[in-house]
Amino acid sequence: MANDGELDLNSLNDDDLVQQMHDDLYDGLKEEIEESVRILLKRGWAPYDVLTKALVEGMRIVGIDFRDGILFVPEVLLAANAMKAGMFILRPLLAETGAPKVGKMVIGTVKGDIHDIGKNLVSMMMEGAGFEVVDLGINNPVEKYMAAIEEHNPDILGMSALLTTTMPYMKVVIDALVEKGVRQDYVVLVGGAPLNEAFANSIGADSYCRDAAVAVETAKQYMAKRQGSAMAARA
Ligand code: B1M
């Protein structure tokens, strides 16, 4: 057993187990998180609920103590690793869809920024909603985004930034699209904790997405609009 018999996670009721997961995430206990995710799934929990109620909420608590100087980078890295291990189990379940692909998105975290948990979550949820996702990873310079859209010809370009110092880089990418005369060919969606709608408007993005669920809904709306205008153009 992952927790060496100290605590039988299976013996906890759902509420206590979720509480324990918040604690285990805080302590960066990867194996315990993996075990608890599997237990909740076995108990019939929807993968999305495990993700949001246990993992994302746990990470929110970590974020508060990181901000307040109670936790430091090494501890937060362990928490992030534990979170990723849980997400790894959920990923195929969230992405399960027999539907034809509804659109394609290239997404990446901008240059100077190595935060990727939120971006990974957006990718997972978009895949689950039937989008093909090309994930460029972290720390992407403008050249990498430009090469990727040329290679993959997506409908949507997604950018993530978690730092106030890196979010302005999104404008560098959008400006490059404008300069190349291809801005209108792509829907540009941006997200990340320090952003807001006003910022997205000010850099010329199409929309700001508060979270992964909003990203999915927004992407679907743009795809419906695009398909509508393509049909109108053919008529
Ligand atoms: Co960092 N960090 N961090 N960090 N970190 C923050 C962002 C911070 C707010 C913490 C704090 O002070 N409270 C703060 C930024 C302050 C600021 O800029 N104003 C901060 C700092 C300062 C730093 C360092 C500078 C610390 C240092 O070195 N002294 C450093 C910078 C490194 C760098 O990038 N160059 C750093 C490093 C790290 C770790 C490596 C330790 C680790 C990252 C591990 C990883 O990602 N692999 C880390 C973490 C984990 C955090 C916090 C605690 C958690 C972020 C997270 O994963 N949240 C974070 C605190 C916080 O945000 N409250 C913090 C969970 C995730 C599900 O939410 O990422 O917001 P989020 O994503 C959401 C939405 O924002 C949205 O949907 C997601 C899902 O719902 N979304 C999108 C995100 N991207 C989107 C893209 C889209 C659409 C929606 O495209 C379409």
XYZ file of all heavy atoms in Angstrom, residues 1-25 29-40 43:
307
model
N 0.835 -1.205 0.000
C 0.000 0.000 0.000
C 0.873 1.260 0.000
O 1.931 1.303 0.628
C -0.903 -0.047 1.240
C -1.981 1.010 1.146
S -2.679 1.406 2.701
C -3.481 -0.006 3.166
N 0.403 2.299 -0.672
C 1.246 3.471 -0.881
C 1.609 4.175 0.427
O 2.689 4.712 0.568
C 0.536 4.448 -1.799
N 0.712 4.147 1.412
C 1.010 4.930 2.613
C 1.525 4.064 3.769
O 1.380 4.418 4.932
C -0.205 5.754 3.038
C -1.426 4.878 3.252
O -1.341 3.673 3.072
N -2.518 5.475 3.650
N 2.114 2.905 3.405
C 2.809 2.053 4.371
C 1.969 1.694 5.578
O 2.486 1.543 6.683
C 4.100 2.744 4.856
C 5.100 2.876 3.714
O 5.033 2.035 2.806
O 5.907 3.806 3.742
N 0.689 1.595 5.423
C -0.171 1.153 6.507
C -0.438 2.214 7.556
O -1.123 1.964 8.540
N 0.108 3.420 7.382
C -0.114 4.452 8.398
C -1.571 4.882 8.422
O -2.161 5.082 9.458
C 0.764 5.662 8.121
C 2.172 5.476 8.611
C 3.095 6.578 8.151
O 2.603 7.636 7.733
O 4.315 6.348 8.190
N -2.136 5.029 7.270
C -3.531 5.439 7.188
C -4.164 4.707 6.010
O -3.632 4.756 4.898
C -3.615 6.963 6.956
C -4.998 7.534 6.688
C -5.887 7.357 7.913
C -4.892 9.011 6.346
N -5.260 3.987 6.306
C -5.929 3.264 5.235
C -6.879 4.241 4.530
O -7.971 4.524 5.019
C -6.687 2.067 5.829
C -7.417 1.286 4.735
O -7.221 1.623 3.551
O -8.167 0.359 5.097
N -6.439 4.760 3.396
C -7.223 5.781 2.681
C -8.611 5.257 2.320
O -9.593 5.993 2.307
C -6.474 6.228 1.418
C -5.158 6.968 1.680
C -4.344 7.126 0.406
C -5.434 8.328 2.306
N -8.650 3.956 2.034
C -9.916 3.342 1.637
C -10.958 3.357 2.750
O -12.157 3.266 2.498
C -9.643 1.902 1.213
C -10.431 1.557 -0.027
O -11.371 2.282 -0.405
N -10.067 0.467 -0.655
N -10.477 3.467 3.993
C -11.426 3.420 5.109
C -12.110 4.780 5.336
O -13.056 4.885 6.105
C -10.693 3.006 6.394
O -9.852 4.076 6.800
N -11.611 5.811 4.662
C -12.185 7.150 4.868
C -13.447 7.327 4.023
O -13.514 6.804 2.900
C -11.168 8.222 4.454
C -9.832 8.223 5.211
C -8.888 9.280 4.640
C -10.062 8.475 6.699
N -14.413 8.059 4.582
C -15.580 8.362 3.739
C -15.179 9.429 2.715
O -14.083 9.993 2.797
C -16.792 8.778 4.581
C -16.580 10.108 5.275
O -15.908 10.992 4.751
N -17.145 10.257 6.470
N -16.054 9.717 1.754
C -15.674 10.583 0.635
C -15.167 11.947 1.108
O -14.137 12.436 0.653
C -16.862 10.789 -0.321
C -17.113 9.540 -1.164
O -16.489 8.496 -0.869
O -17.933 9.616 -2.108
N -15.912 12.562 2.039
C -15.524 13.906 2.487
C -14.148 13.899 3.154
O -13.309 14.762 2.899
C -16.555 14.456 3.497
C -17.830 14.880 2.783
O -17.809 14.965 1.537
O -18.848 15.110 3.475
N -13.952 12.889 4.029
C -12.662 12.818 4.727
C -11.523 12.513 3.752
O -10.402 13.013 3.899
C -12.700 11.747 5.826
C -13.591 12.196 6.986
O -13.897 13.399 7.055
O -13.986 11.337 7.802
N -11.841 11.685 2.749
C -10.797 11.340 1.774
C -10.393 12.577 0.963
O -9.204 12.830 0.745
C -11.286 10.218 0.841
C -10.274 9.722 -0.179
C -8.986 9.232 0.476
C -10.870 8.597 -1.041
N -11.384 13.373 0.573
C -11.077 14.594 -0.188
C -10.245 15.539 0.681
O -9.253 16.123 0.234
C -12.380 15.266 -0.698
C -12.096 16.665 -1.222
C -13.014 14.407 -1.790
N -10.639 15.650 1.954
C -9.868 16.478 2.893
C -8.427 15.969 3.010
O -7.458 16.739 2.980
C -10.570 16.447 4.263
C -9.974 17.386 5.281
C -9.931 18.833 4.795
O -10.942 19.373 4.391
N -8.752 19.440 4.783
N -8.313 14.639 3.110
C -6.982 14.020 3.201
C -6.166 14.297 1.935
O -4.956 14.528 1.980
C -7.148 12.499 3.405
C -5.837 11.752 3.609
C -5.111 12.185 4.877
O -5.741 12.421 5.906
N -3.797 12.311 4.818
N -6.868 14.313 0.792
C -6.163 14.591 -0.474
C -5.622 16.020 -0.488
O -4.536 16.280 -0.997
C -7.089 14.349 -1.667
C -7.328 12.871 -1.913
S -8.552 12.594 -3.193
C -7.556 12.852 -4.665
N -6.401 16.951 0.063
C -5.897 18.331 0.138
C -4.610 18.357 0.975
O -3.632 19.002 0.609
C -6.954 19.265 0.756
C -8.195 19.397 -0.079
N -9.360 19.939 0.390
C -8.446 19.046 -1.357
C -10.278 19.919 -0.562
N -9.744 19.380 -1.628
N -4.633 17.607 2.093
C -3.444 17.560 2.959
C -2.278 16.879 2.240
O -1.136 17.319 2.318
C -3.747 16.793 4.261
C -4.761 17.535 5.131
O -5.017 18.724 4.860
O -5.306 16.912 6.075
N -2.587 15.775 1.545
C -1.515 15.022 0.868
C -0.911 15.828 -0.284
O 0.293 15.755 -0.549
C -2.054 13.679 0.342
C -2.296 12.691 1.484
O -1.795 12.945 2.602
O -2.992 11.675 1.262
N -1.762 16.595 -0.958
C -1.267 17.454 -2.036
C -0.342 18.519 -1.428
O 0.737 18.794 -1.940
C -2.458 18.116 -2.740
C -2.223 18.595 -4.157
C -1.919 17.434 -5.086
C -3.469 19.306 -4.665
N 2.574 14.392 -1.461
C 2.613 12.922 -1.392
C 1.982 12.309 -2.652
O 0.782 12.038 -2.707
C 1.893 12.443 -0.127
C 2.477 12.965 1.188
C 1.680 12.473 2.381
C 3.944 12.537 1.314
N 2.826 12.091 -3.637
C 2.385 11.667 -4.965
C 1.631 10.316 -4.940
O 0.550 10.186 -5.498
C 3.633 11.583 -5.834
C 3.454 11.100 -7.231
C 4.776 11.277 -7.989
C 4.758 10.592 -9.317
N 5.273 9.230 -9.295
N 2.242 9.335 -4.266
C 1.625 8.000 -4.289
C 0.273 7.998 -3.587
O -0.666 7.322 -4.017
C 2.555 6.975 -3.644
C 3.741 6.686 -4.531
C 4.751 5.764 -3.871
O 4.397 5.088 -2.894
O 5.896 5.751 -4.348
N 0.160 8.740 -2.518
C -1.120 8.818 -1.802
C -2.172 9.491 -2.677
O -3.340 9.087 -2.694
C -0.952 9.605 -0.492
C -0.311 8.826 0.636
C 1.198 8.658 0.493
O 1.752 9.089 -0.536
O 1.809 8.079 1.403
N -1.754 10.514 -3.406
C -2.699 11.190 -4.314
C -3.172 10.209 -5.396
O -4.369 10.099 -5.686
C -2.045 12.447 -4.948
C -1.925 13.557 -3.897
C -2.824 12.945 -6.158
C -3.235 14.133 -3.390
N -2.232 9.463 -5.963
C -2.605 8.486 -7.000
C -3.602 7.473 -6.441
O -4.622 7.164 -7.072
C -1.355 7.762 -7.508
C -0.469 8.641 -8.357
C 0.880 7.998 -8.680
O 1.367 7.169 -7.868
O 1.455 8.334 -9.710
N -3.293 6.977 -5.233
C -4.176 5.973 -4.633
C -5.574 6.561 -4.383
O -6.592 5.927 -4.688
C -3.560 5.469 -3.324
C -4.340 4.297 -2.742
C -3.749 3.800 -1.415
O -2.628 4.208 -1.053
O -4.436 3.000 -0.752
N -5.612 7.784 -3.869
C -6.906 8.392 -3.545
C -7.728 8.673 -4.803
O -8.950 8.505 -4.809
C -6.697 9.698 -2.779
O -6.004 9.445 -1.592
N -7.054 9.104 -5.868
C -7.767 9.345 -7.129
C -8.434 8.038 -7.583
O -9.616 8.014 -7.949
C -6.798 9.876 -8.225
C -7.427 9.774 -9.612
C -6.414 11.328 -7.936
N -7.664 6.955 -7.500
C -8.214 5.653 -7.936
C -9.386 5.232 -7.046
O -10.376 4.691 -7.525
C -7.119 4.587 -7.914
C -6.077 4.815 -8.979
C -5.286 3.551 -9.314
N -4.371 3.826 -10.399
C -3.096 4.210 -10.231
N -2.596 4.313 -9.012
N -2.324 4.478 -11.264
N -9.270 5.506 -5.757
C -10.365 5.133 -4.838
C -11.636 5.899 -5.197
O -12.720 5.318 -5.318
C -9.965 5.412 -3.366
C -8.855 4.455 -2.927
C -11.178 5.264 -2.439
C -8.252 4.781 -1.548
N -11.509 7.206 -5.407
C -12.709 8.007 -5.727
C -13.332 7.540 -7.040
O -14.561 7.453 -7.161
C -12.358 9.502 -5.803
C -12.096 10.196 -4.462
C -11.723 11.654 -4.675
C -13.307 10.105 -3.521
N -15.226 4.495 -6.525
C -16.492 4.765 -5.815
C -17.516 5.444 -6.722
O -18.584 5.857 -6.264
C -16.232 5.657 -4.598
C -15.496 4.927 -3.497
C -15.338 5.825 -2.285
N -14.455 5.216 -1.291
C -14.034 5.850 -0.202
N -14.414 7.089 0.044
N -13.235 5.236 0.648
